[in-house]
Amino acid sequence: MAGCGGAARVAARVGQGARTAGKGRLRGPDAVLGLLEASVVHQEGALLALSKPTGLPVLGRPGELSLTALLPALRRRLGLPAELHVVKAPARECSGLVLLSCCHRATEQLQRSFTTARRTGQFPATYSAVTVGVPAEAEGEIRVGLRWQQKGDTAAVVAVPSPGRRSVARGEVKSTLTRYRLLGAAGGCALLQLQPRTAFPEQLQVHLTLLLCPALGDHQHASRVGTVLGQPFLLPPQETPTPHAQVLDAELMSRLQLSPHRRLPLHLHLQQLVLPHTVLCAPPPPHFLRTLRLLGLPPLPLPPH
């Protein structure tokens, strides 16, 4: 099984387990393990790729269900000869492609290829996002420094518009870049293609807020975007309220058929990874597809294979 050709078949196989995970409620280990097994999109040599559901962390807290904790059982189910380890994976709240390997040498080669691709101006990872708001320009780049900032008992990722060279050199701030393209818009929401050239925690969510288009289901950063007379604006960090459930207007909630207390999962999906000899694709989860349909947004284009 290889490349993007199996994406539609995988989407059909996942079924009810993915629909439950997409609502942010992961079941027990056996159910999640079955979901992961059904979500394999590529298996060749030492490499295995699957599509991770929203809400499953790669490394969980003690006692928490995580991808890493399930890898030994997944290896046995698939009959693989050696232990699996993670090469690349999206964050806990994201869905999409997870690249696994049972050969450390292959892992090192892939990680070097990703680093080389980014340094030479390529974009090996492609995400899809549904946003609340439509960017002013149909395509462009977001370039900004990002850093961790302590706020009370928690740390948050904040933007540094013009970082100094010294702060970047000391590693206090990281210069980040994401390329975006508008794929469709309807009713004040948008479907965007995102291609990060750098990697920083929550980079894509923060970059989307800087476009004044927070991701649907972003309960961490969406509160930074306010509105006055229907026009969005960015709140300064010191005035940003404590992160809370994303507030949607009544019209959008009606279109999404949401109850007042329903908490949407993050609509940010790692759809494609370009490897040296193949292109991997993962179909979006059921909750993502349902949102596209309800909002009248176009289906995600299937990359060539």
Side-chain angles (χ1 to χ4, degrees), residues 217-223 242-248 260-264:
D218 182 356
H219 308 292
Q220 181 70 26
H221 300 282
S223 58
T242 302
H244 54 72
Q246 187 178 34
V247 177
L248 305 175
H261 303 294
R262 171 77 183 279
R263 188 180 175 99
L264 276 176

Side-chain angles (χ1 to χ4, degrees), residues 269-285:
H269 177 71
L270 178 51
Q271 184 188 3
Q272 176 182 300
L273 282 174
V274 179
L275 305 186
H277 304 294
T278 190
V279 177
L280 304 179
C281 304

Side-chain angles (χ1 to χ4, degrees), residues 100-178:
L100 305 169
S101 170
C102 55
C103 171
H104 287 285
R105 183 177 180 182
T107 298
E108 292 171 358
Q109 290 174 341
L110 282 169
Q111 290 174 339
R112 282 198 298 269
S113 74
F114 287 136
T115 300
T116 300
R118 288 192 292 265
R119 285 178 177 172
T120 55
Q122 300 175 55
F123 295 81
T126 298
Y127 287 76
S128 299
V130 177
T131 64
V132 181
V134 181
E137 303 292 336
E139 57 183 288
E141 293 182 345
I142 306 111
R143 296 174 180 266
V144 70
L146 295 179
R147 68 179 176 90
W148 287 100
Q149 176 177 286
Q150 197 69 27
K151 190 174 183 180
D153 295 331
T154 61
V157 179
V158 298
V160 182
S162 302
R165 292 182 179 179
R166 290 183 179 179
S167 61
V168 172
R170 290 194 297 263
E172 298 168 357
V173 178
K174 179 165 183 175
S175 297
T176 61
L177 167 65
T178 300

